Amino acid sequence: MTAEELQSGHIFLLDKPLDWTSFQAVNKMKYKLKREFKELPKKFKIGHAGTLDPRATGLLIVCTGKFTKKIPEIQDAPKEYWTEIKIGVQTESYDTEKPEILQTDFSHITEEQVLHSLERFIGEIDQKPPVFSAIKIDGNRAYDLARKGEEVEMKSRKTTIHYINDIEINLPFVSFTVGCSKGTYIRSLAHDIGQELKVGAYLTQLRRTKIGDYSVSDATADFINDDFKISE
């Protein structure tokens, strides 16, 4: 690979580690590219095609050069995630960023009820994004407002759950693979499943496995290592 090829356009498939922001992952890749390819211009174009929350791992697609124009197309593609939720308890962030609250007895919940609840979310649904999200409200990120203790009203939006399969139930934990459209918040899906069961739930693990035809099985996690060579 050459600096010229990177500017003409390249797509990197990264396996984002836990607790990294997508921005940090892109910056790490940009630093490595500039260190290895000294000819790259100062304003070298690079960006990711779809944010992953810090508490999520998995596929992060990074485009360089002229391929940054492909970002909207990639972002529009269907996504797939491996998901684990915990029922009978909630968190303000709908994931592990915030501590558990509102514990509820779930001893009456059966596997059949869980399966029936999951089925109800397949298809087009109305979904409210989490308050702790990057959505902008009057020019401010929702999570910034929420962390300041301000009340934030999130508007519902249409999204589509294409499938939910590979379901494993080991209460209070439920794991499954979910295929969904652009703009779906799996944290909100976890929360809504808990509301459907009337015992609450939140997202404990999330791993993005696919974006369109791109798979995490083809991604690299080595970019986090200082001795990783892009050109190899």
Side-chain angles (χ1 to χ4, degrees):
M1 188 181 300
T2 65
E4 184 178 350
E5 287 172 337
L6 286 168
Q7 292 184 79
S8 294
H10 191 80
I11 292 177
F12 290 98
L13 305 183
L14 307 182
D15 189 346
K16 188 189 81 66
L18 188 68
D19 289 333
W20 281 47
T21 66
S22 299
F23 180 77
Q24 285 173 324
V26 171
N27 266 2
K28 182 79 167 180
M29 179 59 71
K30 185 176 183 179
Y31 169 75
K32 286 180 176 292
L33 289 171
K34 285 200 164 187
R35 186 176 63 179
E36 189 162 345
F37 300 94
K38 309 292 186 185
E39 319 91 290
L40 285 173
K42 186 175 181 180
K43 293 185 178 180
F44 169 59
K45 288 185 178 180
I46 185 170
H48 66 76
T51 302
L52 263 180
D53 290 333
R55 298 300 297 164
T57 66
L59 183 60
L60 184 71
I61 297 178
V62 175
C63 301
T64 72
K66 294 179 181 178
F67 277 18
T68 54
K69 293 180 180 179
K70 293 179 178 285
I71 287 176
E73 174 189 343
I74 296 171
Q75 287 177 326
D76 285 344
K79 314 293 191 300
E80 182 185 87
Y81 299 87
W82 177 83
T83 308
E84 182 190 75
I85 69 173
K86 182 179 180 182
I87 71 167
V89 67
Q90 301 178 55
T91 74
E92 287 183 301
S93 59
Y94 299 176
D95 65 3
T96 57
E97 181 182 342
K98 292 291 184 178
E100 293 184 346
I101 57 173
L102 303 176
Q103 294 192 3
T104 305
D105 178 29
F106 64 89
S107 59
H108 60 287
I109 298 295
T110 65
E111 290 192 7
E112 185 178 352
Q113 286 176 297
V114 172
L115 292 172
H116 179 67
S117 176
L118 293 176
E119 287 175 6
R120 289 177 62 87
F121 287 93
I122 297 174
E124 187 178 70
I125 61 173
D126 288 312
Q127 185 184 78
K128 277 190 177 183
V131 171
F132 286 83
S133 66
I135 290 175
K136 285 191 174 181
I137 299 175
D138 297 329
N140 298 301
R141 297 290 185 185
Y143 57 66
D144 286 332
L145 298 174
R147 285 166 184 158
K148 291 177 183 176
E150 296 184 27
E151 191 169 329
V152 181
E153 179 62 33
M154 306 302 291
K155 294 181 180 179
S156 295
R157 54 176 65 183
K158 296 287 185 184
T159 189
T160 302
I161 305 298
H162 299 299
Y163 56 84
I164 295 176
N165 54 31
D166 302 325
I167 302 167
E168 293 187 13
I169 302 173
N170 185 21
L171 296 178
F173 296 100
V174 181
S175 65
F176 50 87
T177 298
V178 54
C180 57
S181 64
K182 170 191 174 182
T184 303
Y185 281 87
I186 306 302
R187 283 184 288 151
S188 290
L189 177 62
H191 174 79
D192 292 345
I193 290 169
Q195 297 305 298
E196 175 72 18
L197 291 168
K198 295 182 172 56
V199 295
Y202 75 96
L203 186 68
T204 50
Q205 294 188 67
L206 183 66
R207 181 167 176 77
R208 186 156 65 194
T209 50
K210 290 182 181 178
I211 301 176
D213 294 330
Y214 299 102
S215 174
V216 73
S217 61
D218 298 317
T220 178
D222 289 340
F223 76 100
I224 65 174
N225 299 321
D226 289 336
D227 58 352
F228 175 64
K229 298 294 183 183
I230 304 294
S231 57
E232 289 182 351

